[in-house]
Amino acid sequence: TDSGKLEITSSVRTVEFEKEAPTRIEQMVDLLDDHKGVLLTSSYEFPGRYARWSLGFVDPPLEISGRSSSGQIRALNERGLVLLPLILEQMKELQESNVLVSVETTTKLLSTSSTSKDDDESDDSYDTILLQVAPPPPVGTFTEEERSRQPSLFSVVRSMVDLFRSASDHQLGLYGGFGYDLTFQFEPIDLVQERNDEQRDLLLYVPDRILVVDQDKKNAWEVEYDFKVVVNNDDTTTTTAGIDRVGSVEPFEPFHDDNDDDSSSQFLSRDTPVGDFAKSVELAKREFAVGNLFEAVLSQTFREKLTSVKPSLLFR
C-alpha cells in the first residue's frame, strides 16, 4: 500500500459473463438477507457520473460505523482480527494528533460479555475498537477551506483510506453508506427532529473478495485479497493467508410493533399530514419570489411495515 504499513496480495479470477456472473449476483442478493455485505448495481450510464457496473461482496472482514462523535471498527471474522492491531496503531496516531480523545478496545463478537479496555491495558482478545472524536474548535477559528478537515468521523474514514490505499489497485476500498447527519459535524446546528437510537451516520465495510461485472464491455471478474501486517510495537508479522473467508449469519428481522397500545409510539405511515407538503411548496415559492430563499430542500417520508417480505424481494 501507499502507506507502507500493509502488504496486500490480490488474485484475479475471470468470471464467465453470460451465465456465471448473473448466477453469482443472484446468489449474493439472497445472501445479503442474513449476511453483511454490499451490492451496487446500475443499468444506467452517464459519462463521469453513472456507469453500467455491478460490484458486490459478502462477509467482509471489517466494519466501520459511527454516530455523531462516536465510532467503532469491528473485526467480523478471524481475517479481520489480523488487521485490528495495525488499525489500532493508526487510531492511536489520530489520538496523538488530538483528532480523537479516546481509543479503547472491547470484545463484542468473541464472547457474550463486553468489557472495555483503555489505551494502557493490554489484551489480545479484543475484536472492536471504540473511538471518540474530539470536539471541533469554535467556528471562526479556522478558514472555510479547513471546515471539512476539522475532527469528525470523516477523520477516521480518511485515516482508513490512507492505510489501505494502493495506486496499483482500483477495486479495494471502503464500501457502504453515509447518512445525511454527517453534514452536521461540519456546521453547529441545533437538531429538532427526533433520531432513532439505532440510527448510524455511517456504515462502511472493507472487503477481501469483490465480484465485479462490467455490463458495457461484457466482462466479469472476482478479486481476492490477502493482507500481511507488521505491527510496529513488537515487529511481529501476521497475515490473512490461509484463513477462511467466512461470516456470521444474522437473519433479517421483520417489523414488530410492540407499541400498539401506546399512541405516542405507534407506527406512522407518513411524517407529514396530507396537504402540508403542498403548503410548504407554495410557501417556498413565495419566499423565492421575494428573494428570501436561494435554495430549499423539502421532504416527506412514507413508510410501510416490512413484516414477512425479505429485502431481497424488494431489491429484485
Side-chain angles (χ1 to χ4, degrees):
T1 62
D2 296 348
S3 67
K5 301 177 181 179
L6 193 61
E7 181 180 313
I8 302 177
T9 302
S10 64
S11 60
V12 182
R13 182 182 71 86
T14 300
V15 175
E16 200 277 320
F17 178 81
E18 295 291 343
K19 295 182 179 180
E20 185 181 0
T23 300
R24 292 286 303 279
I25 291 293
E26 288 301 308
Q27 291 172 343
M28 192 173 295
V29 172
D30 289 329
L31 283 171
L32 289 175
D33 277 333
D34 48 28
H35 286 252
K36 291 181 180 294
V38 170
L39 176 59
L40 306 173
T41 64
S42 175
S43 59
Y44 178 77
E45 184 165 0
F46 186 85
R49 188 162 189 177
Y50 301 107
R52 291 194 295 267
W53 287 65
S54 294
L55 184 151
F57 56 85
V58 294
D59 297 331
L62 290 173
E63 175 188 272
I64 307 163
S65 62
R67 179 181 181 181
S68 186
S69 60
S70 300
Q72 65 176 28
I73 302 173
R74 295 173 57 195
L76 301 178
N77 54 31
E78 290 187 17
R79 295 174 64 83
L81 292 176
V82 171
L83 296 166
L84 274 194
L86 178 61
I87 295 173
L88 181 61
E89 291 297 318
Q90 191 85 349
M91 294 303 106
K92 287 182 178 180
E93 290 180 9
L94 288 182
Q95 186 178 20
E96 293 172 359
S97 302
N98 297 319
V99 173
L100 301 176
V101 293
S102 69
V103 177
E104 299 180 348
T105 60
T106 188
T107 301
K108 291 192 174 183
L109 299 178
L110 296 178
S111 67
T112 56
S113 62
S114 177
T115 56
S116 295
K117 305 170 183 62
D118 62 26
D119 311 330
D120 297 327
E121 294 184 70
S122 176
D123 194 328
D124 295 332
S125 65
Y126 66 91
D127 60 15
T128 303
I129 302 172
L130 303 177
L131 311 169
Q132 189 67 34
V133 178
V139 175
T141 61
F142 51 83
T143 65
E144 181 64 27
E145 292 77 13
E146 296 173 329
R147 181 183 298 275
S148 64
R149 291 290 176 176
Q150 302 311 303
S152 70
L153 288 178
F154 277 117
S155 305
V156 176
V157 173
R158 291 192 189 98
S159 180
M160 292 291 289
V161 170
D162 291 341
L163 180 61
F164 285 90
R165 179 190 288 118
S166 173
S168 60
D169 184 274
H170 302 290
Q171 248 81 61
L172 184 62
L174 305 181
Y175 293 90
F178 294 96
Y180 184 82
D181 278 7
L182 280 174
T183 60
F184 299 142
Q185 299 198 15
F186 303 132
E187 190 75 31
I189 296 177
D190 294 329
L191 303 182
V192 178
Q193 301 293 333
E194 291 186 7
R195 265 70 174 172
N196 189 306
D197 291 337
E198 297 182 357
Q199 172 181 307
R200 290 173 290 191
D201 294 340
L202 67 84
L203 176 62
L204 302 171
Y205 297 111
V206 178
D208 59 3
R209 177 166 55 191
I210 305 175
L211 175 66
V212 184
V213 181
D214 186 338
Q215 305 287 354
D216 186 36
K217 296 182 179 179
K218 299 187 182 303
N219 288 335
W221 61 94
E222 184 177 62
V223 188
E224 292 188 348
Y225 298 95
D226 273 307
F227 306 94
K228 184 178 180 181
V229 182
V230 176
V231 183
N232 293 330
N233 58 2
D234 58 9
D235 292 328
T236 59
T237 300
T238 54
T239 177
T240 60
I243 303 177
D244 292 338
R245 292 175 169 83
V246 296
S248 59
V249 176
E250 299 182 19
F252 168 71
E253 297 183 6
F255 177 85
H256 296 290
D257 194 345
D258 298 325
N259 302 298
D260 289 335
D261 297 329
D262 184 357
S263 58
S264 64
S265 303
Q266 284 186 353
F267 178 86
L268 298 176
S269 61
R270 59 190 302 162
D271 67 346
T272 306
V274 177
D276 280 14
F277 185 80
K279 293 177 183 178
S280 297
V281 173
E282 292 300 324
L283 175 61
K285 290 168 66 176
R286 292 194 296 269
E287 294 298 319
F288 279 119
V290 298
N292 291 337
L293 283 179
F294 172 75
E295 181 180 358
V297 179
L298 306 178
S299 69
Q300 58 180 332
T301 302
F302 299 91
R303 304 168 65 213
E304 289 290 341
K305 297 179 181 179
L306 194 59
T307 54
S308 59
V309 176
K310 291 185 176 181
S312 56
L313 181 61
L314 295 180
F315 180 84
R316 290 186 170 105

